[in-house]
Amino acid sequence: GAVVSQHPSRVICKSGTSVKIECRSLDFQATTMFWYRQFPKQSLMLMATSNEGSKATYEQGVEKDKFLINHASLTLSTLTVTSAHPEDSSFYICSASTDRGRYEQYFGPGTRLTVT
Amino acid sequence: AQSVTQLGSHVSVSEGALVLLRCNYSSSVPPYLFWYVQYPNQGLQLLLKYTSAATLVKGINGFEAEFKKSETSFHLTKPSAHMSDAAEYFCAVRASLGGSYIPTFGRGTSLIVHP
């Protein structure tokens, strides 16, 4: 089956620093990757959709200058949280799909970000 | 437009008892429906999906769900709960081919299994 990995699985960073999270599709080419944020005991909130080679499309209310998304290849997308603050602490999950999400999304295992 | 309502943020059952997690949806176009399971500090794993074929869908780990258009429901069931089923369950809806492919997730239902 399709496998999506995320790295790191957990990261702790100091307030004001930036942190990069990688999302990789290991055995398929992902034309589209999605980035979600999940608060404790809550559902997934879509942050942005990125298509390979294009700029990401951000959901309303998500700061694109704070959450930088790059989808430079068909197997890798990165989310960089810039100038992190404690309120950015959350669980970030990516998913990947072929054909712009027409079919199934495959989810990564998530990254727990803690900003101190 | 599409939305999902999961009734009950927590469902508690005894081991061996029937599991029933409720999901109602709304969609302006024929929907695809999904159930995902999430274990603590992990991503989402697909349990099963409805994509306009058979209305009774069987998934992994003994779960199944029935698409009922007249009731706009897609409830998840399992005849006999195991301790290992304790997790968070999310129902999701998205448009079928031709609509938006971005799913909308419900708020989740936490399944608690007692010995």
Side-chain angles (χ1 to χ4, degrees):
Chain A
V3 178
V4 176
S5 70
Q6 279 183 245
H7 178 79
S9 57
R10 290 176 177 269
V11 58
I12 301 172
C13 69
K14 292 185 183 296
S15 190
T17 63
S18 296
V19 61
K20 180 185 287 187
I21 302 169
E22 292 186 348
C23 177
R24 293 182 183 272
S25 57
L26 299 185
D27 51 3
F28 67 102
Q29 294 186 326
T31 54
T32 305
M33 287 188 172
F34 304 86
W35 286 96
Y36 295 86
R37 181 173 181 177
Q38 186 180 30
F39 292 99
K41 303 296 184 183
Q42 294 191 31
S43 189
L44 279 70
M45 180 192 78
L46 180 66
M47 298 175 67
T49 302
S50 73
N51 294 304
E52 185 266 339
S54 303
K55 289 185 178 180
T57 301
Y58 290 82
E59 295 299 298
Q60 191 172 6
V62 178
E63 297 177 61
K64 60 182 179 182
D65 294 331
K66 180 167 186 63
F67 297 99
L68 301 179
I69 291 172
N70 183 278
H71 191 168
S73 77
L74 286 170
T75 59
L76 173 65
S77 176
T78 59
L79 167 67
T80 301
V81 183
T82 62
S83 187
H85 289 148
E87 55 265 32
D88 298 327
S89 299
S90 194
F91 195 53
Y92 293 87
I93 302 175
C94 74
S95 70
S97 181
T98 59
D99 199 11
R100 300 185 180 274
R102 184 186 298 267
Y103 300 110
E104 187 173 331
Q105 288 188 32
Y106 302 96
F107 286 84
T111 296
R112 173 73 59 192
L113 170 63
T114 303
V115 184
T116 61
Chain B
Q2 57 195 28
S3 67
V4 170
T5 302
Q6 289 185 241
L7 296 175
S9 59
H10 295 82
V11 170
S12 183
V13 300
S14 298
E15 191 174 18
L18 171 71
V19 175
L20 171 61
L21 304 182
R22 299 178 186 273
C23 172
N24 288 89
Y25 71 91
S26 68
S27 177
S28 55
V29 297
Y32 285 175
L33 293 155
F34 305 82
W35 273 102
Y36 292 90
V37 61
Q38 184 181 33
Y39 297 100
N41 294 309
Q42 294 187 29
L44 272 64
Q45 180 182 7
L46 180 67
L47 278 177
L48 49 79
K49 60 185 176 184
Y50 166 77
T51 56
S52 74
T55 56
L56 181 62
V57 181
K58 294 186 183 298
I60 62 172
N61 301 339
F63 285 94
E64 64 180 37
E66 186 172 9
F67 171 69
K68 291 187 177 181
K69 184 178 179 180
S70 61
E71 299 177 9
T72 61
S73 69
F74 191 57
H75 301 331
L76 181 70
T77 61
K78 181 174 180 177
S80 176
H82 294 164
M83 297 297 291
S84 60
D85 294 327
E88 193 79 16
Y89 291 80
F90 292 96
C91 181
V93 62
R94 52 156 273 198
S96 55
L97 297 182
S100 169
Y101 305 138
I102 298 174
T104 299
F105 288 87
R107 294 180 63 85
T109 298
S110 179
L111 177 63
I112 302 162
V113 182
H114 296 288

